[in-house]
Amino acid sequence: MKKEKYAILKDNLKTLGLYRVNEMFAEEAEKADAENIPYIEYLSTLIENQMIAKKERSINYRLKNAKFPFTKSIEAFDFSFQPNIDEKKIKSLSSLDFVNKAENILFIGPPGVGKTHLAVSFGLEACKNRIRTLFISAKELIDDLLIASNNNTLIQEIEKYTRLPMLIIDELGFIPISKEGANLFYQVISKKYEHSSIIITSNKPFSDWGDIFNDDVIAAAIIDRLVHHSHLFMITGRSYRVKEKLDENNKAIDNN
Ligand code: ADP
Ligand code: MG
């Protein structure tokens, strides 16, 4: 191939965004020559690799935008440590059917029992399936809504959260919420209701939500919509963080 033609081809591939084909075509062409590989097979190898690269890019893009605090998978979860979590149910939910049905998942329990871990692992699964996901703490979400409300951009902001097929709201109940905050939070929950999925983690049982939101009526309305189409996990086990700390200490004692 003439040098000039080669350069034009590279340029055209670049313009078309076929960067993987661009990286591969010359080497693959040599291989095809040497091994008598048919043209169509050569082309299909290039296109297949371009498809794989495109999928990878889109997954990485989703992962970056999801803003997970850490990446932990369902496989990394030790169900034997937390036997009151229904492993079968978690595994069946990881097919993400609940996202298509706009159902919610609620993890309620004390600190360290794996609520955030499990929420993140569903989020990871969603990203792998190219489902747009956002992980946000309840405090960050409410602060964001308060700012939007002050800037007269509340409608757009709520719309943004509503359109997300999976919104993970972490640590509801860690910090009390003002009446205005509770109202804005309710708006997000009610807009997403039967429309798109929410995963929530909370260290507080429903009976305490009136105190979290400083308003029993709004708390009841929030619980009502969240729970209606939901999978509820009440976790009562021990803290894995404490277990890890104790394991560390025991090791240190053994080594002495
Ligand atoms: P929570 O959100 O309930 O406070 P996390 O999900 O943040 O707890 O868990 C605390 C830490 O312990 C994380 O590093 C998490 O990966 C780990 N962890 C919790 N439970 C388990 C478990 N059953 N198996 C493996 N790791 C766990
Ligand atoms: Mg947590």
Side-chain angles (χ1 to χ4, degrees), residues 58-155:
S58 126
I59 291 171
N60 287 337
Y61 178 75
R62 298 259 183 279
L63 285 172
K64 197 172 134 236
N65 283 330
K67 306 205 172 94
F68 297 122
F70 52 71
T71 48
K72 295 231 172 149
S73 64
I74 293 168
E75 288 73 40
F77 196 81
D78 179 0
F79 286 93
S80 67
F81 182 75
Q82 220 60 264
N84 66 353
I85 299 178
D86 187 342
E87 178 174 0
K88 265 203 195 128
K89 181 122 199 255
I90 294 278
K91 299 241 158 106
S92 103
L93 284 169
S94 70
S95 72
L96 302 177
D97 206 26
F98 75 96
V99 180
N100 298 328
K101 296 193 210 147
E103 293 169 349
N104 303 325
I105 300 183
L106 290 89
F107 293 110
I108 296 179
V113 292
K115 302 182 298 295
T116 303
H117 181 137
L118 289 170
V120 164
S121 65
F122 283 125
L124 280 178
E125 218 41 58
C127 288
K128 278 190 211 155
N129 286 280
R130 289 194 275 175
I131 293 168
R132 283 197 306 123
T133 303
L134 178 70
F135 180 102
I136 192 165
S137 72
K139 181 183 185 315
E140 277 176 290
L141 173 64
I142 288 163
D143 285 350
D144 180 61
L145 295 169
L146 287 167
I147 291 169
S149 173
N150 284 334
N151 293 342
N152 282 326
T153 54
L154 185 62
I155 292 171

Side-chain angles (χ1 to χ4, degrees), residues 2-199:
K2 276 199 189 134
K3 243 191 182 163
E4 194 185 326
K5 261 209 162 159
Y6 182 86
I8 291 172
L9 174 57
K10 285 212 81 92
D11 233 34
N12 284 342
L13 288 170
K14 195 173 168 196
T15 308
L16 288 169
L18 299 172
Y19 59 95
R20 193 77 189 101
V21 174
N22 214 347
E23 285 165 4
M24 288 180 73
F25 78 89
E27 204 178 303
E28 287 297 314
E30 271 179 29
K31 205 166 109 192
D33 259 350
E35 294 171 21
N36 260 331
I37 291 168
Y39 296 129
I40 291 184
E41 202 178 313
Y42 166 71
L43 181 62
S44 97
T45 302
L46 294 181
I47 299 302
E48 206 169 292
N49 277 280
Q50 181 65 49
M51 293 290 290
I52 292 168
K54 184 180 171 183
K55 193 172 169 200
E56 262 173 20
R57 260 199 174 183
S58 126
I59 291 171
N60 287 337
Y61 178 75
R62 298 259 183 279
L63 285 172
K64 197 172 134 236
N65 283 330
K67 306 205 172 94
F68 297 122
F70 52 71
T71 48
K72 295 231 172 149
S73 64
I74 293 168
E75 288 73 40
F77 196 81
D78 179 0
F79 286 93
S80 67
F81 182 75
Q82 220 60 264
N84 66 353
I85 299 178
D86 187 342
E87 178 174 0
K88 265 203 195 128
K89 181 122 199 255
I90 294 278
K91 299 241 158 106
S92 103
L93 284 169
S94 70
S95 72
L96 302 177
D97 206 26
F98 75 96
V99 180
N100 298 328
K101 296 193 210 147
E103 293 169 349
N104 303 325
I105 300 183
L106 290 89
F107 293 110
I108 296 179
V113 292
K115 302 182 298 295
T116 303
H117 181 137
L118 289 170
V120 164
S121 65
F122 283 125
L124 280 178
E125 218 41 58
C127 288
K128 278 190 211 155
N129 286 280
R130 289 194 275 175
I131 293 168
R132 283 197 306 123
T133 303
L134 178 70
F135 180 102
I136 192 165
S137 72
K139 181 183 185 315
E140 277 176 290
L141 173 64
I142 288 163
D143 285 350
D144 180 61
L145 295 169
L146 287 167
I147 291 169
S149 173
N150 284 334
N151 293 342
N152 282 326
T153 54
L154 185 62
I155 292 171
Q156 295 92 306
E157 207 56 17
I158 289 178
E159 187 57 26
K160 184 185 94 183
Y161 292 116
T162 309
R163 276 202 311 264
L164 270 173
M166 187 189 281
L167 178 65
I168 302 174
I169 306 171
D170 195 37
E171 299 196 337
L172 181 73
F174 274 61
I175 296 159
I177 297 162
S178 68
K179 271 219 175 206
E180 195 191 354
N183 194 295
L184 295 172
F185 188 82
Y186 167 74
Q187 289 188 50
V188 171
I189 302 300
S190 71
K191 277 267 162 133
K192 281 184 80 67
Y193 173 62
E194 295 188 333
H195 183 83
S196 53
S197 291
I198 301 172
I199 298 181

